Amino acid sequence: MESPQLVGVHLGTASVHVDVYSTDGERLAGGEAPVAEQTTLAWERALHEAAPALPQTGIGSVASTSGTAVLVDKYGEPVFPPQMYFDSAPEQASKLRDLDLSDLSINQNIAFSPTSPLPKILKLREEHPEKFQRVEWILSPTTWLLYRLRFDASTPWRDIETDWTNALKFGADVTTPLPTWFESLFETLDLPRSLFPAIRPPGSFIGVADGQLAERTDFDGIKLFQGLTDGNASVLANGGVKPGDFSITFGASSVIKYVSESVSPHPALYYHRHPIDGYLPGASFDTGNLLRWFFDRVLNCTPERGLELARQVPSGHGYEVFLKGNRSPFFDADVAGSLLGLNYDNSLSTEEVHGRLARGLITGIILTEWTYISLVEEHFDTDIDRVLVINDGTPTLDGNYDWWNTLRASIWDRPVVEMEPRTTAGAVMAPALITSIYSDVETAAENLLRERDVIEPDPSVSADFDTQKEAYFDRWRDIAAFYQRE
């Protein structure tokens, strides 16, 4: 009997990827298409453009952005535009943080962040109460797309389910044996729990793709299974499959994930349930999007040119840059990005100043990522002997990213294992285990994942940062305290 093919979809902010894999991990076909705007119609068009010729039968799933909310009517049609993960509702978030909900303490920061779904949902209800009455389901993009492929346009959406990774930021308790919703939260907010789907494990069977979208995109006949957030799919693609694994996925944001066997609360960490087994304490903060904005709006250059300017600056000569605090670890939209050490020097050319700005921003990103390596080691009393890294969708220098990863390895003072960015493979790993294609997660990883390179630290650069990296988070915390003054 012929082995089934695996079809993974990554619905990202900038583009849609669709890849077809054999069970030994060979990429048989694939496609990518840009997302023109953040609407469900644009997502459908991008999926249509990206989808290669698909097998008549196969196993399929989806990964998409975490924290984005899609509010739809009973036929899955949008009532409001998608509330993207980067949209913000700070006033409603402030009200949520004032609530007495001690049972939500483990993930309260992430559930009540200004960019999380609940504040934005409450804002829509306050500003458009009549229109809000038409909402039948509140879903993640992952769940919306899976059921859009599952159902015909004339079929009412009933008995909708979602995976526990996408449910987290909507108000799920992931610490129970089978994650469930925080009922007290929805009661306090007077938000009908019926608007939110039942929570199931990633990889649970949904049905066979049978809608008009499935027909237009060649997905008809594909068996659909519950998906993941793209952060969790990237964790799996990054090799984060067993306790002790530590990974960083760099794309629009830096997504930090550590695989733990249990929950140990910390205010700077939020917890996902691992898609397969255990837990994923982690964090995320804007980095890739900030980098592109900075190159475009401040330096007026392409990302590739900005990275080249940064590469030419010697280690330790960049200005000191601190990231925004709207996400981890401060969860405060008032904490803006900051630039320190800007001493004017007329001997420097404009290009050299731009290079120091770019180098400072990249170094700031790496140091911010390092604060979580240090935090995890201390909090879990562990040693992280290597860091798994995916640079997903990041501009490169003629395909050569070694200098950035060498800087990472040197500042972090440990090897960096660069993995091939196979988010679509991560999306289908849980379904492949559920259907017994692989006997265990290690076997699945051996077949589906690919390691690109191992980058060792440069001892001379590591020594330069021994003192600086220890002080970096303390200064960032002082900056946050400045913004938080009454």
Side-chain angles (χ1 to χ4, degrees):
M1 182 177 177
E2 189 175 344
S3 298
Q5 294 179 11
L6 306 171
V7 183
V9 179
H10 180 203
L11 169 56
T13 309
S15 61
V16 171
H17 292 256
V18 182
D19 290 310
V20 182
Y21 298 96
S22 65
T23 54
D24 63 1
E26 181 185 358
R27 186 171 177 267
L28 302 173
E32 176 186 4
V35 173
E37 58 183 348
Q38 301 307 325
T39 65
T40 56
L41 182 58
W43 295 348
E44 290 184 15
R45 287 173 177 164
L47 180 66
H48 180 265
E49 294 173 13
L54 299 181
Q56 290 185 344
T57 60
I59 290 172
S61 194
V62 175
S64 189
T65 56
S66 167
T68 296
V70 187
L71 289 77
V72 299
D73 65 16
K74 66 179 180 179
Y75 295 105
E77 294 293 336
V79 177
F80 297 97
Q83 303 299 294
M84 299 301 297
Y85 68 91
F86 49 75
D87 294 328
S88 184
E91 182 180 339
Q92 287 73 19
S94 178
K95 293 177 182 177
L96 283 172
R97 286 195 294 269
D98 290 338
L99 297 175
D100 181 18
L101 289 165
S102 57
D103 59 342
L104 197 63
S105 58
I106 290 176
N107 281 324
Q108 185 165 328
N109 277 338
I110 194 65
F112 293 172
S113 165
T115 56
S116 289
L118 285 175
K120 292 176 283 193
I121 292 166
L122 296 177
K123 182 179 180 181
L124 289 176
R125 187 176 66 175
E126 291 171 14
E127 295 179 351
H128 309 281
E130 292 185 8
K131 192 175 181 180
F132 194 88
Q133 294 300 315
R134 293 167 44 202
V135 175
E136 190 78 13
W137 294 103
I138 299 177
L139 308 172
S140 69
T142 295
T143 305
W144 176 84
L145 183 54
L146 283 165
Y147 281 92
R148 192 67 160 181
L149 290 167
R150 172 73 181 93
F151 287 131
D152 189 273
S154 62
T155 303
W157 288 21
R158 298 191 179 95
D159 302 321
I160 306 300
E161 298 173 344
T162 193
D163 68 279
W164 63 48
T165 72
N166 274 291
L168 172 70
K169 292 184 180 179
F170 288 82
D173 179 3
V174 298
T175 64
T176 57
L178 181 63
T180 186
W181 297 108
F182 279 106
E183 298 290 346
S184 60
L185 171 62
F186 295 99
E187 291 173 5
T188 301
L189 299 178
D190 192 25
L191 196 60
R193 234 285 290 128
S194 60
L195 294 174
F196 298 84
I199 301 174
R200 295 289 179 263
S204 299
F205 182 61
I206 294 174
V208 177
D210 193 33
Q212 283 99 333
L213 180 61
E215 185 177 353
R216 293 199 307 271
T217 56
D218 208 22
F219 272 82
D220 50 325
I222 299 293
K223 294 179 180 178
L224 301 174
F225 295 78
Q226 291 292 345
L228 301 167
T229 66
D230 51 9
N232 278 267
S234 293
V235 168
L236 296 179
N238 218 342
V241 298
K242 64 183 185 302
D245 288 336
F246 185 94
S247 68
I248 296 178
T249 302
F250 181 86
S253 6
S254 286
V255 180
I256 315 291
K257 298 293 182 186
Y258 174 71
V259 184
S260 69
E261 296 180 282
S262 59
V263 173
S264 178
H266 188 284
L269 299 171
Y270 64 89
Y271 274 80
H272 269 287
R273 186 73 167 269
H274 192 282
I276 311 300
D277 188 31
Y279 294 90
L280 284 173
S284 62
F285 33 86
D286 295 326
T287 50
N289 280 341
L290 170 63
L291 202 64
R292 288 174 175 79
W293 174 87
F294 192 84
F295 290 154
D296 180 51
R297 303 300 172 89
V298 179
L299 302 187
N300 191 28
C301 67
T302 64
E304 290 76 13
R305 179 57 181 160
L307 288 171
E308 174 60 21
L309 290 171
R311 187 185 66 82
Q312 295 172 1
V313 175
S315 177
H317 285 72
Y319 301 122
E320 197 166 22
V321 178
F322 296 85
L323 307 187
K324 291 178 63 176
N326 60 319
R327 298 171 75 181
S328 307
F330 303 115
F331 303 98
D332 190 334
D334 292 333
V335 180
S338 301
L339 172 65
L340 300 181
L342 192 62
N343 294 317
Y344 72 87
D345 183 347
N346 288 328
S347 69
L348 297 175
S349 68
T350 299
E351 189 170 270
E352 288 172 320
V353 172
H354 285 182
R356 292 190 177 203
L357 287 167
R359 183 72 173 211
L361 179 55
I362 289 169
T363 303
I365 288 171
I366 295 172
L367 285 167
T368 303
E369 293 167 340
W370 178 84
T371 64
Y372 275 88
I373 299 173
S374 175
L375 185 154
V376 165
E377 286 187 320
E378 180 179 349
H379 187 65
F380 290 95
D381 191 23
T382 189
D383 292 320
I384 296 170
D385 57 6
R386 64 175 192 161
V387 180
L388 303 160
V389 170
I390 284 179
N391 297 302
D392 192 5
T394 308
T396 62
L397 303 173
D398 299 324
N400 182 356
Y401 212 82
D402 288 351
W403 73 271
W404 188 329
N405 280 333
T406 299
L407 186 60
R408 273 181 167 141
S410 302
I411 291 177
W412 300 342
D413 199 20
R414 66 207 73 204
V416 164
V417 180
E418 185 178 8
M419 302 293 290
E420 184 177 312
R422 288 189 159 203
T423 303
T424 50
V428 294
M429 193 176 288
L433 288 166
I434 291 281
T435 55
S436 300
I437 292 175
Y438 306 112
S439 58
D440 54 58
V441 68
E442 287 84 4
T443 304
E446 288 172 5
N447 282 275
L448 286 174
L449 308 186
R450 298 291 185 270
E451 185 179 298
R452 277 185 172 171
D453 199 6
V454 178
I455 300 98
E456 298 291 340
D458 179 338
S460 64
V461 177
S462 297
D464 291 341
F465 282 92
D466 277 347
T467 303
Q468 182 178 345
K469 67 183 182 183
E470 293 294 341
Y472 184 83
F473 186 68
D474 289 337
R475 288 197 292 274
W476 194 20
R477 190 160 38 208
D478 289 341
I479 290 169
F482 173 83
Y483 279 102
Q484 292 162 356
R485 292 187 304 181
E486 293 293 336

